[in-house]
Amino acid sequence: MYKKIGFIGLGLIGGSIARAIRREYKDLSIVALDGTKESIVNAYNDKTIDNNDVLQLDELGDCDIIFLCAPVMINISYLPKLKGIINKDTIITDVGSVKGEMEQAVIDNNLEEYFIGGHPMCGSEKTGYSNSNDRLLENAYYLITNNNIINQDKISAFKEFISSIGSLPLELTPDEHDYVTASISHVPHIIASSLVNFVMNNDSNKKTMRTVAAGGFKDITRIASSSPTMWQNICLTNKDKILKLLDSYLLEIDKFKDSINKGNGEEIKELFSEAKEYRDSISTGKGLIENVYEFYVDICDETGVIARIATILANENLNIKNIGIINNREFQEGALRIEMYDEFSMFKAINVLKANKYSIYS
């Protein structure tokens, strides 16, 4: 198996992959380059990587795998530099959300026999190594693009390695990848950001919209907090597919607009019903949509109420993943949201709190 892994970029995704590798392979050598010295120091201090200072690029030359984890254009800029230092068995892989331009750059640099495209379907609106964790990739699809030139043994070994850190490898062509990710990731990010800008530009001087923005708005726009530089790179490198799919999306908006304009209640209901049926059919727990084990509790506004509930659950050896007050309950009836780590814990917590006379909504 592999002995040394290198990273160029140690942010959220690079850091999470490195942490996952370290979790599973204690004796593997892991080294990294990153534009932020703090990330290198922190990763060294928590024993994720083996270098605590800035490396020279040629120190990655003996790596079995080099993960390119910077924005797409920066990853591309490293290809000609890596060409002269890697050995015949090295695998170069990226984690970028766009594959077309990356694959072309690989061809231009005659690196086809070394390159495997990669894209873990996970992430967060948060960025940087400090927000990475060794479970981010667990049970998430890891899209792999194959140029059919690289040795298939390398592909098989890489897929096995990705599986060993908890991800689910899935092979696509670069063109399939870019169309799929434009549909389920790139266009939704643009929609989320445009919706935030829409509310910002239509808010009053008193910022009423910003003040009362509740669950639905926050859920649908959460991804608008992602890195602007990363999304700039994505839009510029997957331009054609994004534009084509934005045109298709605008046709969907026109369907709603036309039905509302005509006052056609049946058409409006059907559009919402189709969306609900398809959304409910998307399997949870892998890739796109993560399982959430949450419920809501009615509480009165008094000192110590959250501590009492936490104590009740702790006495049953139930570990709370997240807990918080719902300030504006757009869709939830309960005032306190509690999230557990698994389904069993969620139902047990619900039953325990019901036995203690709390009203529960799930």
Side-chain angles (χ1 to χ4, degrees):
M1 203 51 175
Y2 306 123
K3 296 180 180 180
K4 183 177 180 181
I5 308 293
F7 286 85
I8 295 177
L10 206 62
L12 176 72
I13 300 299
S16 295
I17 296 172
R19 287 181 191 268
I21 293 171
R22 177 59 74 212
R23 183 192 71 226
E24 297 297 324
Y25 300 96
K26 305 298 184 186
D27 298 327
L28 196 65
S29 175
I30 304 176
V31 294
L33 302 174
D34 191 84
T36 306
K37 178 66 182 295
E38 182 183 5
S39 296
I40 297 296
V41 172
N42 290 341
Y44 175 79
N45 288 340
D46 63 24
K47 297 180 170 54
T48 297
I49 65 173
D50 297 317
N51 59 293
N52 65 346
D53 55 4
V54 178
L55 293 180
Q56 299 300 312
L57 189 64
D58 59 11
E59 294 180 71
L60 300 181
D62 60 344
C63 288
D64 297 299
I65 306 176
I66 299 173
F67 284 90
L68 300 176
C69 302
V72 179
M73 300 309 295
I74 296 177
N75 287 340
I76 288 174
S77 73
Y78 272 101
L79 293 179
K81 302 172 187 175
L82 290 171
K83 184 178 178 180
I85 66 169
I86 56 176
N87 62 61
K88 63 181 179 63
D89 296 319
T90 300
I91 292 172
I92 300 173
T93 186
D94 71 330
V95 299
S97 185
V98 180
K99 288 291 170 273
E101 286 209 17
M102 189 69 186
E103 292 280 354
Q104 186 57 54
V106 167
I107 293 169
D108 292 342
N109 285 280
N110 297 312
L111 288 169
E112 298 101 306
E113 62 183 290
Y114 303 95
F115 185 77
I116 300 173
H119 180 200
M121 295 298 288
C122 58
S124 167
E125 74 278 13
K126 297 177 181 178
T127 60
Y129 180 80
S130 60
N131 290 302
S132 64
N133 72 80
D134 68 341
R135 298 292 177 180
L136 185 67
L137 287 83
E138 198 164 65
N139 292 322
Y141 285 113
Y142 199 113
L143 304 185
I144 292 174
T145 57
N146 179 0
N147 56 33
N148 293 318
I149 294 177
I150 191 170
N151 186 297
Q152 290 304 302
D153 289 340
K154 283 188 175 183
I155 293 283
S156 297
F158 184 72
K159 288 170 66 176
E160 183 180 341
F161 186 64
I162 292 303
S163 296
S164 74
I165 61 173
S167 290
L168 307 169
L170 179 65
E171 282 194 64
L172 299 172
T173 68
D175 194 62
E176 285 175 324
H177 172 277
D178 286 357
Y179 188 79
V180 168
T181 54
S183 300
I184 65 171
S185 178
H186 306 166
V187 169
H189 271 81
I190 293 168
I191 293 168
S193 296
S194 64
L195 183 55
V196 172
N197 290 341
F198 164 77
V199 170
M200 176 183 67
N201 293 329
N202 286 276
D203 206 352
S204 66
N205 291 333
K206 293 189 291 185
K207 305 298 181 186
T208 305
M209 294 183 188
R210 177 177 174 177
T211 300
V212 303
F217 180 79
K218 289 180 179 178
D219 285 346
I220 200 172
T221 60
R222 174 183 57 82
I223 53 178
S225 294
S226 300
S227 165
T229 300
M230 180 179 73
W231 285 101
Q232 175 197 48
N233 270 256
I234 288 170
C235 286
L236 293 176
T237 52
N238 204 22
K239 175 182 173 180
D240 292 342
K241 289 181 173 59
I242 289 173
L243 289 175
K244 180 180 179 180
L245 287 162
L246 277 174
D247 285 339
S248 295
Y249 173 72
L250 291 175
L251 292 177
E252 295 296 326
I253 291 292
D254 284 341
K255 289 180 186 178
F256 276 96
K257 184 178 177 181
D258 184 58
S259 297
I260 294 169
N261 184 51
K262 292 187 299 186
N264 190 325
E266 285 302 313
E267 282 188 8
I268 295 169
K269 183 179 179 181
E270 181 61 23
L271 289 169
F272 281 114
S273 296
E274 287 176 354
K276 181 183 187 312
E277 183 178 350
Y278 185 73
R279 173 59 175 79
D280 290 347
S281 74
I282 299 175
S283 62
T284 59
K286 292 179 180 179
L288 179 62
I289 299 175
E290 181 183 1
N291 275 329
V292 178
Y293 305 102
E294 65 182 10
F295 59 93
Y296 299 85
V297 186
D298 253 345
I299 57 172
C300 54
D301 185 9
E302 62 182 26
T303 303
V305 63
I306 296 179
R308 285 199 297 275
I309 289 174
T311 299
I312 290 170
L313 297 182
N315 288 339
E316 298 292 331
N317 293 317
L318 290 168
N319 192 13
I320 298 172
K321 183 177 182 180
N322 207 346
I323 187 168
I325 295 290
I326 305 297
N327 298 111
N328 188 321
R329 289 182 279 162
E330 185 177 21
F331 297 113
Q332 297 84 18
E333 296 180 85
L336 183 70
R337 174 185 176 272
I338 299 177
E339 182 182 355
M340 309 301 288
Y341 281 94
D342 54 63
E343 186 177 38
F344 174 81
S345 298
M346 178 184 72
F347 284 119
K348 185 176 179 181
I350 288 172
N351 291 332
V352 168
L353 292 176
K354 281 182 176 179
N356 281 270
K357 308 303 181 186
Y358 286 97
S359 295
I360 307 295
Y361 305 94
S362 59

